[in-house]
Amino acid sequence: MMNSNKMTINLALFGMTQSGKSSAGNIILGSTDFQSSFAPCSVTKDCSLGRSCHFRSFMRRGGQEVTLQVQVLDTPGYPHSRLSKKHVRQEIREALAHHFGQEGLHLALLVQRADVPLCGQEESSPVQMIQELLGHAWMNHTAILFTHAEKIEEAGFNEDEYLCEASETLLKLLNSIQRRYIFQYKKGNSLNEQRLKILERIIEFVKENCYQVLTFK
């Protein structure tokens, strides 16, 4: 949603259980809207919408400063320890229609732990969910958010080396979404620094996609 001096960016988080979706959502929003904790089971059972504060003078468009607000939809992970795929899919479908039915969704963020390889069978779960819910245009509205990216540095890799060594499944996925990806670091970075870097990348992707949105009925 956009007027002359204000823009709202709508995001939805997808990913496997314990991938860091809720934590990433809190970082993006600069809040603690979403419950986030380590657990031996799935923590998020329901979709939840969070809204950021207004970021003034965060970006410019048409020569004018624009105030930015971000809305983030947190979703249950899949595979889920308690919920069936049918239940998770229906829960997310209803939430997308309720929150973004008219305004539209700018970007789906597939949250993937950087320290967990993305392999063929695993790829079919959250990615397939995105494909089913977003339809044929999913590739134009999806990016990968790598959480726990500090593990890459601890292992002696930089980002380029990490991607060069990535699984064929991950590389194929990255190529299909025009290599839209973000690395989220916790170690040595303040929450504000993390948030600004992630938001800058998200805005780049939205601009490259000419601010197009997916709507839901």
Side-chain angles (χ1 to χ4, degrees), residues 61-126:
R61 192 179 187 203
Q64 292 186 331
E65 291 185 345
V66 175
T67 296
L68 175 70
Q69 185 176 42
V70 181
Q71 296 191 131
V72 178
L73 181 69
D74 190 23
T75 69
Y78 188 81
H80 199 281
S81 62
R82 294 189 178 94
L83 305 175
S84 68
K85 180 178 181 180
K86 180 179 180 181
H87 182 98
V88 172
R89 183 174 56 226
Q90 186 62 26
E91 169 77 13
I92 299 175
R93 178 177 285 118
E94 291 176 359
L96 288 170
H98 177 70
H99 296 294
F100 304 142
Q102 293 183 331
E103 294 181 13
L105 176 71
H106 290 90
L107 195 66
L109 289 174
L110 173 62
V111 181
Q112 168 69 28
R113 287 184 64 116
D115 57 345
V116 177
L118 186 67
C119 302
Q121 187 174 359
E122 296 171 77
E123 180 267 356
S124 65
S125 296

Side-chain angles (χ1 to χ4, degrees), residues 173-199:
L173 175 60
L174 281 170
N175 288 332
S176 70
I177 60 174
Q178 295 83 53
R179 298 187 70 82
R180 287 189 293 267
Y181 60 85
I182 306 167
F183 285 96
Q184 176 189 306
Y185 295 87
K186 288 187 178 179
K187 188 175 180 180
N189 290 326
S190 70
L191 289 177
N192 190 53
E193 288 176 327
Q194 293 178 55
R195 179 167 62 256
L196 291 178
K197 288 181 179 179
I198 293 172
L199 285 176

Side-chain angles (χ1 to χ4, degrees), residues 1-9 52-70 106 196 199-200 203 206-207 211:
M1 184 171 61
M2 177 103 186
N3 60 31
S4 60
N5 59 5
K6 180 182 176 183
M7 172 181 248
T8 301
I9 297 294
S52 74
C53 62
H54 290 87
F55 299 99
R56 303 191 184 283
S57 306
F58 183 84
M59 57 182 291
R60 297 180 68 87
R61 192 179 187 203
Q64 292 186 331
E65 291 185 345
V66 175
T67 296
L68 175 70
Q69 185 176 42
V70 181
H106 290 90
L196 291 178
L199 285 176
E200 286 171 357
I203 295 301
V206 172
K207 284 181 178 179
Y211 301 92

